[in-house]
Amino acid sequence: MGVPGGHGGSGMSTIGGAIRQHEWGSNKNINHALKVNLQASQYLYYDNYTKGFRWPALTADDYAASVYGGSVYALRMGALLTFQPGTNHSSIGGLSTWQAKKIFDAMYKYGAYVVDDTAWDAHAICTESTVSLPVWDSNFRSDMNKIFQNLWVVNNNSEWNVGGGGSLRTSQKSSLGAPTGGFITLQAIVNNRYVVAENGGNSPLIANRTGAGGWETFEVVNGGGGYIGLKAQANGKYVSVGSGNVLTANANWLGDWEKFIWEYHDNGKRIALKSKKTNKYVAAENNGNSSLAANRSSVGNWEKFVPGGGTGAWTQYGSNDYLNKPGQ
């Protein structure tokens, strides 16, 4: 899902939130949340209940109990920071450098997550190594101090209320899309069973397996126009919506009956598949006890699946220890 990664303090993504080279420049915009590092001993809060972190951080520094010294309960590792509504360049004392103005605009629209401890009296903006921030420019440093001194914590930001709710400050961005080219499993949330191309692909798909192997693995294929196809590893054929709108891996090519829209739900933790043929969502019928069918107009528990790494597939952590464990 792109959440875990290499930040030792928070466990959050090393890629997500970084200012990228292609978006750096006076005439370009940064269209995503940023990430920052703060001096934990001065700002980050710790207690035995929160352990010094909050969503989306996965952890806090291993020294958090003895070092974190902040007094603001909401300001923990993983906190989302932004400005009060209506704040602008002038209201925080004026910004003189285009670099600071760009950073301010991104923080106002999308916010910035706390991902690490600077471990000394400084604050940091995370970038790709090729992005050059003018840190030796006294005007830029002055601008950045104004920015950091006016940040607030979005205290109601959570896994189920991303950004804190309310009116959006800018348009919502689309998801990253389906993992085309990857090999996946699909675990129905209605019964926690894996979808299988039953009988080596000769029988309809059904969510009834407690473990995942070759019959439970599918390749995600780019179907063009925003659609994807699923090629069953059980027989090398595409999953098709056939008689009774039931799904079976029996097609030799990728046509309209074999195409689906991949939709993220529950903040990216689960997906739904919408058939191009029926314009309906795929359901694990009868609580997963009957064949999968593309016949639902809306998405509920029967229509949600957790995608995971398929047999022999690379997973988020690149370790066989995590194969067949969706979300890990």
Side-chain angles (χ1 to χ4, degrees):
M1 295 303 160
V3 177
H7 284 290
S10 63
M12 290 173 63
S13 170
T14 317
I15 298 173
I19 297 176
R20 309 294 295 276
Q21 181 61 54
H22 72 268
E23 60 195 7
W24 190 241
S26 58
N27 62 340
K28 299 177 181 179
N29 295 320
I30 301 172
N31 293 318
H32 57 78
L34 302 184
K35 57 186 177 182
V36 298
N37 302 340
L38 301 178
Q39 184 184 20
S41 62
Q42 184 175 359
Y43 295 110
L44 299 188
Y45 181 89
Y46 180 93
D47 62 16
N48 288 328
Y49 175 72
T50 66
K51 302 299 182 182
F53 68 98
R54 58 183 299 170
W55 184 89
L58 304 176
T59 186
D61 292 289
D62 56 9
Y63 52 76
S66 59
V67 171
Y68 285 17
S71 59
V72 178
Y73 176 80
L75 185 49
R76 308 188 298 275
M77 193 66 76
L80 176 63
L81 311 178
T82 190
F83 303 98
Q84 291 277 36
T87 304
N88 56 42
H89 302 169
S90 298
S91 65
I92 63 171
L95 301 175
S96 61
T97 61
W98 67 262
Q99 294 94 337
K101 292 176 182 178
K102 176 184 289 292
I103 290 170
F104 174 96
D105 292 345
M107 284 186 170
Y108 185 82
K109 291 178 180 178
Y110 304 102
Y113 287 95
V114 180
V115 297
D116 261 324
D117 175 15
T118 58
W120 66 299
D121 191 11
H123 38 253
I125 297 285
C126 300
T127 77
E128 279 188 328
S129 61
T130 52
V131 172
S132 178
L133 296 179
V135 293
W136 307 116
D137 181 341
S138 60
N139 291 324
F140 176 73
R141 293 202 307 275
S142 175
D143 286 348
M144 293 308 300
N145 283 333
K146 294 174 184 177
I147 286 174
F148 275 86
Q149 288 164 5
N150 284 278
L151 290 171
W152 291 66
V153 182
V154 182
N155 194 33
N156 62 343
N157 181 56
S158 72
E159 182 177 5
W160 311 112
N161 192 41
V162 178
S167 300
L168 296 176
R169 291 182 175 181
T170 188
S171 60
Q172 189 171 5
K173 301 305 172 184
S174 62
S175 71
L176 295 176
T180 53
F183 294 83
I184 64 163
T185 58
L186 291 171
Q187 189 176 23
I189 70 165
V190 70
N191 62 1
N192 292 321
R193 300 292 179 94
Y194 291 95
V195 174
V196 58
E198 193 64 282
N199 190 23
N202 293 306
S203 298
L205 271 62
I206 188 169
N208 66 2
R209 290 298 199 273
T210 57
W215 286 12
E216 294 76 33
T217 299
F218 302 86
E219 180 183 1
V220 183
V221 180
N222 187 349
Y227 291 94
I228 60 100
L230 295 173
K231 182 184 281 189
Q233 296 307 286
N235 60 5
K237 295 191 175 185
Y238 291 100
V239 173
S240 181
V241 179
S243 176
N245 297 327
V246 170
L247 276 62
T248 307
N250 61 2
N252 293 316
W253 56 83
L254 190 59
D256 286 351
W257 289 20
E258 293 74 42
K259 292 182 180 180
F260 304 88
I261 292 176
W262 175 290
E263 286 186 6
Y264 285 106
H265 289 265
D266 302 335
N267 295 314
K269 290 184 176 296
R270 303 179 178 98
I271 63 108
L273 296 170
K274 192 174 189 179
S275 166
K276 185 174 184 180
K277 175 192 175 186
T278 66
N279 199 35
K280 304 270 188 179
Y281 291 99
V282 173
E285 286 284 21
N286 189 25
N287 285 310
N289 293 308
S290 300
S291 302
L292 268 63
N295 60 6
R296 290 299 196 283
S297 298
S298 59
V299 177
N301 284 345
W302 286 18
E303 295 74 38
K304 291 179 182 179
F305 302 86
V306 178
T311 300
W314 178 88
T315 63
Q316 288 182 31
Y317 292 86
S319 166
N320 288 332
D321 293 340
Y322 292 91
L323 285 177
N324 307 323
K325 297 180 182 178
Q328 296 192 45

